[in-house]
Amino acid sequence: MFRYVLKTLWRHRTRTLLTVTGAAVAMFVFCFVGSVQEGLHRLTTGSDADRNLIVFQENRFCPTSSRLPEDYERVIAEIPGVRDVMPIQVWTNNCRASLDIVVFNGADPKQIQQTRPLKLTSGDWQQFQSTRDAAIVGRNVAQRRGLKVGDQFTIGEISVRVAGVFESNVPSEENLIYTSLQFLQYTRGLDAAGLVTQHEVLLTDDADPDRVAAAIDQKLRAGAVATKTRRKGAFQASTLSDLVDLIGFAHWLGYACVALVLSLVATTTVMSVQDRIKEYAVLQTVGVRPLRAMRLVLAESTILCVVGGVAGTLLALAALGFGGFAIGAEGATIAFRPSLGLAATGTIVSLFVGMLAGLIPAIQAATVPIVNALRQA
C-alpha cells in the first residue's frame, strides 16, 4: 500500500511539491506564533515571577520615567518577609515595541551573580566586578550585535566594554546587558545619581507576596516618591500589555495557518481522487474493499501533510535556535526559543490535519459507483 501511495504522489510530483511547500510555510508560521506565546508564558510564570516583587514608581511605565531613591532599599529591607533587596537601574534604547531592543540593567555585580541564573560562556566575573565600565552581555544580544569579549559597545549615551558573554536557562535574560549600578547612575546624560528605576524584592519562603507588596507601598507612601509594588510576573505582563494583546491576536493567526494546511491538503487530495476515479473503480472490481481504498487516500493526504508540516516545523526550530529573536517593550523582553513541546505540537497537528483533510476524499473513493465511474472514464 505504501509503495502504491508513493507512486501516486510521484506521478503528480509538481502538485505534490507545491502542496508540501504550502504546508511547510504554514507550519513554519504556526511554530513561530507558538514560540512567541511560549516566550510570554515563560516570562510571566517563571519560578521567580510569583515570589519576587518589583517596586516601581506609581503611574509610570517606561523605565526612564521611574526614578526611585536608592535609599528606599533600607526601608524595604526592614519589612517582615523581605530576604533581600536589589536596586536596579534600567536603560533601554526604545520604550516602544521593537525586535532589536537593547536593555541595560545596572545592579550590584555580587547580587547579579547570586540572584540571576547566568553562566558565562566567555570572559570572567572578576573583570566585570573590578572594571567600572565593564558589562556582561546576553548571548542573544551578542549574536545580534556581533559582540565578543573585549569589544567596546556604544549606544546612545552609554559606552561599555564587554567583559563576558553569558547564557541562561531563563531565555529572556539572554536579551539583557548587565553593568554595575554606579556606572549607569553616573553616566553622563542620564542624571541618575542616587536614583534607581526599580527595586527587586526577594522574599522569604513563608512570606505572602501580596501582603508584603501592600506593606511596602504603605511604608513608602510618606516618602518622596509614591510606589506601586507587584509580583514580578504581573509587573512584566503589565509592562508588555500592548504586546500581550497583539500576541493574543496572533493566536488566531496560528489557527488560520492550521486551517490553511487543512484546506490545501484537502483540495489536493480531492483533485487526486477525481483524477483517478476510474482507477478506484478498477481497484474495487479486482477485490479491493472500500475500507482499504479509504486507507489509501488517507495515507496520501497524511503523507503530504506530515512531510510538509515536519519540514516547516524543523525549519522554524532551526531559525529560532540560531536567530536569537526577541521582541521587547518598556525594558521587558520576550525571547523566541525552540522547544521539544513546540516540535511535538507541530508534528501532532500535521498528523491530525493530514488525516482530517483526507477524510471526505477517502469516503468518496470508497463509495464510488463502479459502473458509473467506468462509463464516465
Side-chain angles (χ1 to χ4, degrees):
M1 182 179 75
F2 188 68
R3 290 180 61 186
Y4 173 81
V5 172
L6 290 182
K7 286 181 179 180
T8 301
L9 294 175
W10 181 251
R11 196 187 312 166
H12 302 89
R13 45 188 173 274
T14 301
R15 185 166 64 196
T16 298
L17 179 61
L18 291 174
T19 304
V20 168
T21 302
V25 171
M27 290 306 299
F28 182 90
V29 177
F30 174 81
C31 288
F32 249 86
V33 172
S35 176
V36 176
Q37 293 173 328
E38 284 187 355
L40 178 62
H41 180 74
R42 284 192 300 262
L43 184 67
T44 56
T45 60
S47 58
D48 63 344
D50 288 331
R51 294 299 304 169
N52 290 6
L53 302 176
I54 298 295
V55 183
F56 206 73
Q57 185 172 346
E58 190 175 28
N59 299 323
R60 293 292 186 273
F61 301 98
C62 184
T64 57
S65 66
S66 177
R67 300 168 69 83
L68 298 178
E70 184 181 353
D71 60 8
Y72 272 8
E73 174 189 6
R74 294 184 293 101
V75 180
I76 297 172
E78 296 173 355
I79 295 175
V82 174
R83 176 167 56 88
D84 196 12
V85 183
M86 182 166 66
I88 302 174
Q89 180 69 23
V90 181
W91 184 91
T92 177
N93 66 327
N94 191 351
C95 269
R96 296 182 178 180
S98 173
L99 288 170
D100 191 29
I101 190 171
V102 176
V103 181
F104 284 84
N105 277 10
D108 184 346
K110 292 183 179 179
Q111 286 186 311
I112 294 174
Q113 189 173 14
Q114 293 169 359
T115 62
R116 295 294 191 261
L118 310 181
K119 178 184 177 182
L120 290 184
T121 57
S122 59
D124 63 89
W125 281 100
Q126 186 59 38
Q127 183 183 359
F128 173 54
Q129 294 177 357
S130 60
T131 307
R132 180 180 176 276
D133 65 342
I136 53 174
V137 180
R139 181 178 61 177
N140 288 348
V141 180
Q143 184 176 340
R144 290 200 308 268
R145 296 280 177 165
L147 300 176
K148 60 183 183 299
V149 174
D151 287 352
Q152 191 75 27
F153 177 55
T154 302
I155 182 169
E157 303 91 346
I158 298 178
S159 180
V160 296
R161 184 169 295 278
V162 179
V165 176
F166 67 84
E167 62 182 11
S168 174
N169 57 10
V170 179
S172 59
E173 292 284 344
E174 295 182 346
N175 295 291
L176 301 177
I177 300 177
Y178 283 101
T179 68
S180 68
L181 176 60
Q182 289 76 17
F183 171 74
L184 279 188
Q185 285 179 321
Y186 291 94
T187 294
R188 184 186 299 275
L190 297 187
D191 190 27
L195 299 174
V196 296
T197 303
Q198 63 197 41
H199 292 275
E200 184 167 341
V201 181
L202 285 69
L203 305 178
T204 57
D205 293 337
D206 59 345
D208 182 340
D210 295 326
R211 288 187 177 182
V212 175
I216 291 173
D217 290 338
Q218 183 63 33
K219 187 82 170 179
L220 298 177
R221 193 170 301 278
V225 180
T227 61
K228 176 65 175 179
T229 305
R230 286 169 286 187
R231 300 188 188 211
K232 189 174 182 178
F235 171 78
Q236 291 172 326
S238 175
T239 299
L240 296 168
S241 58
D242 291 340
L243 284 179
V244 170
D245 294 338
L246 183 62
I247 292 170
F249 176 77
H251 186 70
W252 294 103
L253 177 61
Y255 288 138
C257 290
V258 173
L260 175 62
V261 176
L262 176 63
S263 174
L264 182 64
V265 176
T267 301
T268 301
T269 309
V270 167
M271 292 172 61
S272 177
V273 170
Q274 292 289 346
D275 290 345
R276 304 199 316 275
I277 199 73
K278 176 183 176 181
E279 188 174 323
Y280 286 112
V282 171
L283 287 174
Q284 290 189 47
T285 61
V286 297
V288 174
R289 301 187 67 81
L291 188 60
R292 186 173 179 83
M294 286 186 65
R295 289 204 299 266
L296 289 172
V297 178
L298 286 173
E300 183 178 331
S301 66
T302 302
I303 289 173
L304 285 172
C305 199
V306 169
V307 171
V310 169
T313 300
L314 292 177
L315 286 173
L317 294 178
L320 291 168
F322 293 105
F325 301 112
I327 188 170
E330 299 183 12
T333 60
I334 299 173
F336 307 166
R337 289 281 289 271
S339 68
L340 290 176
L342 203 59
T345 300
T347 303
I348 293 171
V349 167
S350 300
L351 180 62
F352 175 75
V353 170
M355 296 179 66
L356 185 62
L359 189 59
I360 294 178
I363 294 173
Q364 182 184 11
T367 58
V368 58
I370 299 176
V371 175
N372 292 342
L374 292 175
R375 283 177 177 174
Q376 182 180 0

